[in-house]
Amino acid sequence: MNDDKLNQNVFLSIVSHELKTPLTSISGFTQALQRKISQKINNYRDNPLLSREELEKYSDHLETIMRQINRLDKLMDDLLDSSVIESGNLRYEWDKVNLNILLEQVCEQMQVISPAHQIVLATSKGSSNFITGDENRLEKVFSNLLANAIKYSPHKDAITVDLSEDNDRYIISVEDKGIGIPLEDSDKIFDLYYRGKGVDNKKFSGLGLGLYLCKQIIDTHRGELTFKSEVGKGSIFYVKLPKQT
Ligand code: ADP
């Protein structure tokens, strides 16, 4: 790695670390306020200072703040991870991972963050499919794919997550009915900092880090990340992971 690249990585990792600390504190206090306000709403008694409507409005504001905090937090994590990947030092912790539980958790989390889009997990409840992997990193992959499916579906169509298998692999798909990916972007969307050519920055913010990170993580699991897409119809991303590592 050349010196410029090295300096850029060190800079990125220091900045994202520094920004994460205040963000954690803002997030903690916002959640505490959210809890307080929803308690007040649940046990509401006429209050000359604050009407129930006012409390509900503040609760909506806090929800918006929390959504933006989560976005910033994810961005910081992605920046941090990409600088670590670039320097070749991203560490993995290998363990037995229950893919079904992991997908349930990620879908649930994303549904809370984005209540406007319906997230459908098509796998049958109670089944267990295990692989050896790094659970946190895989969680990042699925939440990035879902976050993209949500972001690039401005009409708020439903998103479907499924898990199937062939002889030696599990195949997880994340399907949206959003804007789709033009052919000219197809071979570049996994590149670091690449953003779709026709993507309107004002409408769809981002840095072009998510899919790069997903691909690196899936490659390290000796898997495959692919997609099919049609402009105006939607996209489906496939994560294929070996049953045996
Ligand atoms: P970002 O979303 O920040 O631009 P990503 O690396 O996650 O970064 O994605 C790279 C590009 O791939 C995006 O800019 C967009 O053009 C395209 N893309 C990714 N996921 C989707 C999707 N579900 N629907 C349409 N386009 C997508």
Side-chain angles (χ1 to χ4, degrees):
M1 198 185 308
N2 65 31
D3 277 358
D4 277 355
K5 195 88 199 150
L6 196 66
N7 285 338
Q8 188 191 342
N9 277 336
V10 172
F11 173 75
L12 272 182
S13 96
I14 291 172
V15 168
S16 28
H17 253 308
E18 288 306 307
L19 291 178
K20 266 195 89 78
T21 314
L23 206 57
T24 310
S25 147
I26 297 170
S27 164
F29 283 112
T30 310
Q31 281 169 336
L33 271 174
Q34 274 184 310
R35 276 194 298 274
K36 246 296 115 348
I37 289 200
S38 57
Q39 271 170 18
K40 288 261 178 242
I41 293 176
N42 290 338
N43 309 316
Y44 188 77
R45 268 179 226 104
D46 273 342
N47 177 334
L49 296 176
L50 277 174
S51 69
R52 194 188 176 104
E53 287 69 33
E54 274 173 308
L55 277 174
E56 280 167 356
K57 190 175 79 193
Y58 295 145
S59 167
D60 286 349
H61 290 341
L62 285 171
E63 208 178 299
T64 309
I65 294 173
M66 233 11 250
R67 244 199 325 275
Q68 299 302 335
I69 291 173
N70 284 328
R71 251 180 78 187
L72 268 178
D73 193 48
K74 183 182 160 305
L75 210 59
M76 290 300 113
D77 280 344
D78 285 356
L79 271 174
L80 204 60
D81 284 351
S82 68
S83 72
V84 180
I85 283 183
E86 284 280 277
S87 61
N89 290 326
L90 193 66
R91 273 207 290 276
Y92 284 80
E93 281 173 27
W94 300 95
D95 213 339
K96 209 168 153 192
V97 179
N98 184 333
L99 282 175
N100 299 73
I101 291 189
L102 181 60
L103 290 174
E104 271 169 38
Q105 284 168 348
V106 175
C107 288
E108 229 173 85
Q109 278 162 21
M110 296 305 289
Q111 188 67 85
V112 172
I113 298 174
S114 300
H117 292 77
Q118 190 197 1
I119 300 174
V120 181
L121 181 58
T123 57
S124 48
K125 268 210 164 237
S127 28
S128 297
N129 293 288
F130 290 94
I131 59 154
T132 302
D134 182 321
E135 187 159 353
N136 288 329
R137 304 259 175 245
L138 289 172
E139 183 194 328
K140 165 143 255 154
V141 170
F142 299 127
S143 59
N144 268 340
L145 292 178
L146 267 171
N148 275 351
I150 290 165
K151 176 163 70 173
Y152 295 109
S153 298
H155 299 302
K156 315 215 181 325
D157 296 292
I159 288 143
T160 310
V161 178
D162 201 3
L163 187 153
S164 58
E165 58 188 298
D166 62 16
N167 281 342
D168 43 13
R169 291 181 306 183
Y170 290 116
I171 303 159
I172 298 102
S173 58
V174 178
E175 180 172 17
D176 67 61
K177 303 273 178 243
I179 62 171
I181 300 168
L183 214 55
E184 55 165 347
D185 289 330
S186 297
D187 15 318
K188 302 186 208 96
I189 60 164
F190 297 111
D191 293 353
L192 183 58
Y193 302 128
Y194 186 82
R195 303 215 67 215
K197 281 278 165 286
V199 165
D200 178 349
N201 271 317
K202 286 204 200 85
K203 242 161 98 189
F204 307 102
S205 64
L207 292 178
L209 290 170
L211 286 183
Y212 167 78
L213 284 174
C214 291
K215 172 113 178 46
Q216 302 294 317
I217 293 169
I218 296 304
D219 284 353
T220 307
H221 283 78
R222 296 201 296 115
E224 218 186 319
L225 176 61
T226 56
F227 72 97
K228 278 196 232 152
S229 185
E230 206 177 324
V231 173
K233 294 247 166 85
S235 311
I236 176 158
F237 281 80
Y238 299 98
V239 174
K240 297 174 185 161
L241 290 165
K243 290 180 181 172
Q244 306 284 336
T245 38

Short mmCIF file of all heavy atoms in Angstrom, two decimals, residues 8-39:
data_model
loop_
_atom_site.label_atom_id
_atom_site.label_comp_id
_atom_site.label_asym_id
_atom_site.label_seq_id
_atom_site.Cartn_x
_atom_site.Cartn_y
_atom_site.Cartn_z
N GLN A 8 -4.54 7.91 4.30
CA GLN A 8 -5.98 8.03 4.15
C GLN A 8 -6.69 7.04 5.08
O GLN A 8 -7.66 7.38 5.75
CB GLN A 8 -6.35 7.76 2.70
CG GLN A 8 -7.80 8.03 2.37
CD GLN A 8 -8.17 7.48 1.00
OE1 GLN A 8 -7.30 7.20 0.17
NE2 GLN A 8 -9.44 7.31 0.77
N ASN A 9 -6.16 5.82 5.15
CA ASN A 9 -6.77 4.81 6.01
C ASN A 9 -6.66 5.15 7.48
O ASN A 9 -7.61 4.99 8.23
CB ASN A 9 -6.11 3.44 5.77
CG ASN A 9 -6.72 2.77 4.57
OD1 ASN A 9 -7.84 3.07 4.22
ND2 ASN A 9 -5.98 1.87 3.96
N VAL A 10 -5.46 5.65 7.87
CA VAL A 10 -5.27 6.01 9.27
C VAL A 10 -6.24 7.14 9.62
O VAL A 10 -6.93 7.12 10.64
CB VAL A 10 -3.81 6.44 9.53
CG1 VAL A 10 -3.65 7.00 10.94
CG2 VAL A 10 -2.87 5.26 9.33
N PHE A 11 -6.34 8.13 8.73
CA PHE A 11 -7.24 9.26 8.93
C PHE A 11 -8.68 8.78 9.10
O PHE A 11 -9.36 9.14 10.05
CB PHE A 11 -7.12 10.22 7.75
CG PHE A 11 -8.12 11.33 7.78
CD1 PHE A 11 -7.98 12.40 8.66
CD2 PHE A 11 -9.23 11.32 6.94
CE1 PHE A 11 -8.91 13.42 8.70
CE2 PHE A 11 -10.17 12.32 6.97
CZ PHE A 11 -10.01 13.38 7.86
N LEU A 12 -9.10 7.91 8.17
CA LEU A 12 -10.48 7.41 8.21
C LEU A 12 -10.76 6.70 9.52
O LEU A 12 -11.80 6.88 10.13
CB LEU A 12 -10.71 6.42 7.08
CG LEU A 12 -11.16 6.98 5.75
CD1 LEU A 12 -11.39 5.86 4.76
CD2 LEU A 12 -12.45 7.76 5.95
N SER A 13 -9.79 5.89 9.94
CA SER A 13 -10.07 5.10 11.14
C SER A 13 -10.09 5.99 12.38
O SER A 13 -10.92 5.80 13.27
CB SER A 13 -9.12 3.91 11.25
OG SER A 13 -8.07 4.20 12.06
N ILE A 14 -9.23 7.04 12.43
CA ILE A 14 -9.26 7.94 13.60
C ILE A 14 -10.57 8.74 13.60
O ILE A 14 -11.26 8.82 14.61
CB ILE A 14 -8.05 8.91 13.58
CG1 ILE A 14 -6.76 8.12 13.82
CG2 ILE A 14 -8.20 9.99 14.64
CD1 ILE A 14 -5.50 8.90 13.63
N VAL A 15 -10.92 9.28 12.43
CA VAL A 15 -12.13 10.11 12.37
C VAL A 15 -13.36 9.29 12.76
O VAL A 15 -14.18 9.72 13.57
CB VAL A 15 -12.31 10.70 10.95
CG1 VAL A 15 -13.69 11.32 10.79
CG2 VAL A 15 -11.25 11.75 10.69
N SER A 16 -13.46 8.07 12.21
CA SER A 16 -14.68 7.33 12.52
C SER A 16 -14.73 6.92 13.99
O SER A 16 -15.80 6.94 14.60
CB SER A 16 -14.91 6.14 11.58
OG SER A 16 -13.73 5.65 11.08
N HIS A 17 -13.56 6.60 14.56
CA HIS A 17 -13.52 6.31 16.00
C HIS A 17 -13.98 7.51 16.81
O HIS A 17 -14.82 7.39 17.70
CB HIS A 17 -12.08 5.99 16.42
CG HIS A 17 -11.89 4.54 16.71
ND1 HIS A 17 -12.70 3.85 17.56
CD2 HIS A 17 -10.98 3.66 16.25
CE1 HIS A 17 -12.31 2.61 17.61
NE2 HIS A 17 -11.27 2.45 16.81
N GLU A 18 -13.42 8.66 16.49
CA GLU A 18 -13.73 9.88 17.25
C GLU A 18 -15.21 10.24 17.13
O GLU A 18 -15.81 10.72 18.08
CB GLU A 18 -12.88 11.06 16.74
CG GLU A 18 -11.42 10.97 17.13
CD GLU A 18 -11.26 10.79 18.63
OE1 GLU A 18 -11.81 11.58 19.39
OE2 GLU A 18 -10.58 9.81 19.03
N LEU A 19 -15.78 10.03 15.95
CA LEU A 19 -17.19 10.40 15.77
C LEU A 19 -18.12 9.41 16.46
O LEU A 19 -19.23 9.75 16.83
CB LEU A 19 -17.54 10.49 14.29
CG LEU A 19 -16.89 11.65 13.54
CD1 LEU A 19 -17.26 11.60 12.07
CD2 LEU A 19 -17.34 12.98 14.12
N LYS A 20 -17.65 8.20 16.62
CA LYS A 20 -18.52 7.18 17.22
C LYS A 20 -18.77 7.46 18.71
O LYS A 20 -19.83 7.17 19.22
CB LYS A 20 -17.92 5.79 17.04
CG LYS A 20 -18.46 5.10 15.81
CD LYS A 20 -18.16 3.62 15.80
CE LYS A 20 -19.22 2.79 16.49
NZ LYS A 20 -20.41 2.58 15.69
N THR A 21 -17.78 8.03 19.40
CA THR A 21 -17.93 8.23 20.85
C THR A 21 -19.09 9.17 21.16
O THR A 21 -20.01 8.79 21.90
CB THR A 21 -16.61 8.72 21.46
OG1 THR A 21 -15.58 7.91 20.92
CG2 THR A 21 -16.62 8.67 22.95
N PRO A 22 -19.12 10.40 20.59
CA PRO A 22 -20.28 11.25 20.90
C PRO A 22 -21.59 10.64 20.40
O PRO A 22 -22.63 10.80 21.04
CB PRO A 22 -19.99 12.56 20.16
CG PRO A 22 -18.90 12.28 19.22
CD PRO A 22 -18.15 11.10 19.74
N LEU A 23 -21.52 9.93 19.31
CA LEU A 23 -22.74 9.34 18.75
C LEU A 23 -23.34 8.33 19.73
O LEU A 23 -24.56 8.27 19.92
CB LEU A 23 -22.38 8.65 17.43
CG LEU A 23 -23.50 8.51 16.42
CD1 LEU A 23 -24.09 9.87 16.09
CD2 LEU A 23 -22.98 7.84 15.16
N THR A 24 -22.47 7.53 20.37
CA THR A 24 -22.96 6.54 21.34
C THR A 24 -23.67 7.25 22.48
O THR A 24 -24.73 6.80 22.95
CB THR A 24 -21.77 5.72 21.88
OG1 THR A 24 -21.03 5.26 20.78
CG2 THR A 24 -22.23 4.56 22.73
N SER A 25 -23.09 8.38 22.92
CA SER A 25 -23.71 9.08 24.03
C SER A 25 -25.04 9.72 23.60
O SER A 25 -26.06 9.59 24.30
CB SER A 25 -22.70 10.12 24.54
OG SER A 25 -23.33 11.24 25.00
N ILE A 26 -25.08 10.33 22.42
CA ILE A 26 -26.34 10.92 21.92
C ILE A 26 -27.41 9.83 21.82
O ILE A 26 -28.56 10.01 22.21
CB ILE A 26 -26.14 11.57 20.53
CG1 ILE A 26 -25.16 12.73 20.62
CG2 ILE A 26 -27.46 12.05 19.94
CD1 ILE A 26 -24.72 13.28 19.27
N SER A 27 -26.99 8.68 21.32
CA SER A 27 -27.92 7.58 21.14
C SER A 27 -28.48 7.12 22.49
O SER A 27 -29.69 6.92 22.64
CB SER A 27 -27.20 6.46 20.40
OG SER A 27 -27.89 5.28 20.51
N GLY A 28 -27.61 7.00 23.49
CA GLY A 28 -28.03 6.55 24.83
C GLY A 28 -29.06 7.50 25.42
O GLY A 28 -30.12 7.07 25.90
N PHE A 29 -28.76 8.82 25.37
CA PHE A 29 -29.69 9.80 25.95
C PHE A 29 -31.00 9.87 25.18
O PHE A 29 -32.07 10.04 25.75
CB PHE A 29 -29.03 11.19 26.02
CG PHE A 29 -28.03 11.28 27.15
CD1 PHE A 29 -26.67 11.39 26.90
CD2 PHE A 29 -28.47 11.21 28.47
CE1 PHE A 29 -25.76 11.44 27.94
CE2 PHE A 29 -27.55 11.27 29.52
CZ PHE A 29 -26.20 11.38 29.26
N THR A 30 -30.92 9.72 23.85
CA THR A 30 -32.15 9.76 23.05
C THR A 30 -33.05 8.58 23.42
O THR A 30 -34.26 8.73 23.59
CB THR A 30 -31.83 9.72 21.54
OG1 THR A 30 -30.85 10.71 21.27
CG2 THR A 30 -33.06 9.98 20.69
N GLN A 31 -32.43 7.41 23.57
CA GLN A 31 -33.24 6.23 23.93
C GLN A 31 -33.87 6.40 25.31
O GLN A 31 -35.02 6.03 25.52
CB GLN A 31 -32.37 4.98 23.88
CG GLN A 31 -32.20 4.50 22.46
CD GLN A 31 -31.13 3.42 22.33
OE1 GLN A 31 -30.22 3.32 23.16
NE2 GLN A 31 -31.23 2.62 21.29
N ALA A 32 -33.10 7.02 26.24
CA ALA A 32 -33.65 7.24 27.59
C ALA A 32 -34.86 8.17 27.49
O ALA A 32 -35.90 7.92 28.11
CB ALA A 32 -32.58 7.85 28.49
N LEU A 33 -34.74 9.25 26.69
CA LEU A 33 -35.87 10.17 26.51
C LEU A 33 -37.06 9.46 25.87
O LEU A 33 -38.21 9.68 26.27
CB LEU A 33 -35.45 11.31 25.58
CG LEU A 33 -34.83 12.54 26.24
CD1 LEU A 33 -34.34 13.51 25.18
CD2 LEU A 33 -35.88 13.22 27.11
N GLN A 34 -36.77 8.61 24.88
CA GLN A 34 -37.86 7.87 24.22
C GLN A 34 -38.63 7.03 25.23
O GLN A 34 -39.86 7.00 25.23
CB GLN A 34 -37.28 6.94 23.14
CG GLN A 34 -37.09 7.63 21.81
CD GLN A 34 -36.62 6.65 20.75
OE1 GLN A 34 -35.67 5.90 20.98
NE2 GLN A 34 -37.26 6.65 19.60
N ARG A 35 -37.85 6.34 26.09
CA ARG A 35 -38.50 5.49 27.10
C ARG A 35 -39.39 6.33 28.02
O ARG A 35 -40.53 6.00 28.30
CB ARG A 35 -37.45 4.74 27.92
CG ARG A 35 -36.98 3.45 27.24
CD ARG A 35 -36.22 2.57 28.22
NE ARG A 35 -35.02 3.21 28.73
CZ ARG A 35 -33.84 3.17 28.12
NH1 ARG A 35 -33.70 2.53 26.99
NH2 ARG A 35 -32.78 3.77 28.64
N LYS A 36 -38.82 7.46 28.48
CA LYS A 36 -39.56 8.34 29.41
C LYS A 36 -40.86 8.81 28.77
O LYS A 36 -41.93 8.76 29.38
CB LYS A 36 -38.68 9.57 29.69
CG LYS A 36 -38.12 9.84 30.99
CD LYS A 36 -38.65 10.14 32.20
CE LYS A 36 -38.94 9.95 33.52
NZ LYS A 36 -38.78 8.78 34.22
N ILE A 37 -40.75 9.29 27.52
CA ILE A 37 -41.94 9.85 26.86
C ILE A 37 -42.98 8.77 26.60
O ILE A 37 -44.17 8.98 26.81
CB ILE A 37 -41.53 10.57 25.54
CG1 ILE A 37 -40.79 11.85 25.92
CG2 ILE A 37 -42.75 10.88 24.68
CD1 ILE A 37 -40.71 12.89 24.88
N SER A 38 -42.53 7.57 26.19
CA SER A 38 -43.57 6.56 25.95
C SER A 38 -44.21 6.11 27.25
O SER A 38 -45.41 5.81 27.28
CB SER A 38 -43.09 5.40 25.08
OG SER A 38 -42.01 4.80 25.64
N GLN A 39 -43.45 6.12 28.37
CA GLN A 39 -44.10 5.84 29.68
C GLN A 39 -45.17 6.88 29.97
O GLN A 39 -46.28 6.57 30.38
CB GLN A 39 -43.06 5.94 30.79
CG GLN A 39 -42.33 4.65 31.10
CD GLN A 39 -41.15 4.90 32.04
OE1 GLN A 39 -41.09 5.93 32.70
NE2 GLN A 39 -40.21 3.97 32.07
#
